[in-house]
Amino acid sequence: MSSATSTTSLPSGLHVLTTFPDVLFIPEIIFGGLVWILVASSKVPYPILQGWVMFVSVSCFVMSTTLLCLYICGAHGGSSSWVTLDVICQETAALFYLSAAVLEAYFTYSISSLSTDILIVYRENISAVVFAFLATLVYVVHKVFSLRRWKSS
């Protein structure tokens, strides 16, 4: 059995990029950025639906980038409250991204019955749906392993 101290504390410096749950910040940022770009570049016939998707993708992108930078800088100082903060952030992001992915899928399904003039928008939104569900999956996996780290701390 490995030592309990290696799994209960948050890494700092470039070790963040080598530990499993924390290395997931990179795909979270990439997939979230792609959702943000794809939704921002498409036409918006239903602003309330895509407004929520934009809010989620931008806020989760900023949150993940900020946490990654803070962990690399070592701002947490080994405090256990940061482990709790990590769990709360990952749970919130997973829930928000799940709702955003479902809304984007609904929006994409609703525009599929429109004319062929909207085919490019439809393709962009299909890509946004795929990346939103991938971001949701990555956030859920990160959440599960953050919960395991929090429970063992």
Side-chain angles (χ1 to χ4, degrees):
M1 184 178 214
S2 65
S3 69
T5 58
S6 65
T7 60
T8 59
S9 64
L10 292 170
S12 61
L14 293 178
H15 292 294
V16 173
L17 302 175
T18 61
T19 57
F20 174 65
D22 301 311
V23 77
L24 293 175
F25 279 122
I26 302 301
E28 289 170 2
I29 292 169
I30 291 171
F31 293 147
L34 287 170
V35 172
W36 179 8
I37 291 167
L38 288 167
V39 172
S41 68
S42 68
K43 294 181 182 172
V44 183
Y46 303 117
I48 193 72
L49 295 178
Q50 289 193 299
W52 176 251
V53 176
M54 281 297 292
F55 169 75
V56 169
S57 62
V58 171
S59 62
C60 289
F61 181 86
V62 169
M63 178 203 64
S64 294
T65 305
T66 303
L67 278 176
L68 179 64
C69 290
L70 288 173
Y71 291 166
I72 288 175
C73 292
H76 53 80
S79 173
S80 64
S81 62
W82 281 82
V83 176
T84 307
L85 175 71
D86 187 45
V87 170
I88 291 169
C89 288
Q90 299 307 322
E91 284 182 351
T92 304
L95 180 66
F96 278 12
Y97 250 112
L98 179 63
S99 68
V102 169
L103 282 175
E104 186 66 20
Y106 171 74
F107 168 74
T108 304
Y109 175 73
S110 69
I111 66 169
S112 66
S113 62
L114 298 176
S115 69
T116 58
D117 297 337
I118 203 150
L119 186 60
I120 293 173
V121 175
Y122 181 66
R123 288 179 182 165
E124 285 178 348
N125 285 304
I126 286 176
S127 301
V129 168
V130 169
F131 288 121
F133 277 112
L134 284 174
T136 303
L137 177 67
V138 172
Y139 275 110
V140 167
V141 170
H142 196 160
K143 176 191 80 156
V144 167
F145 285 96
S146 293
L147 278 170
R148 291 179 68 195
R149 178 171 43 200
W150 175 71
K151 188 175 179 180
S152 66
S153 66

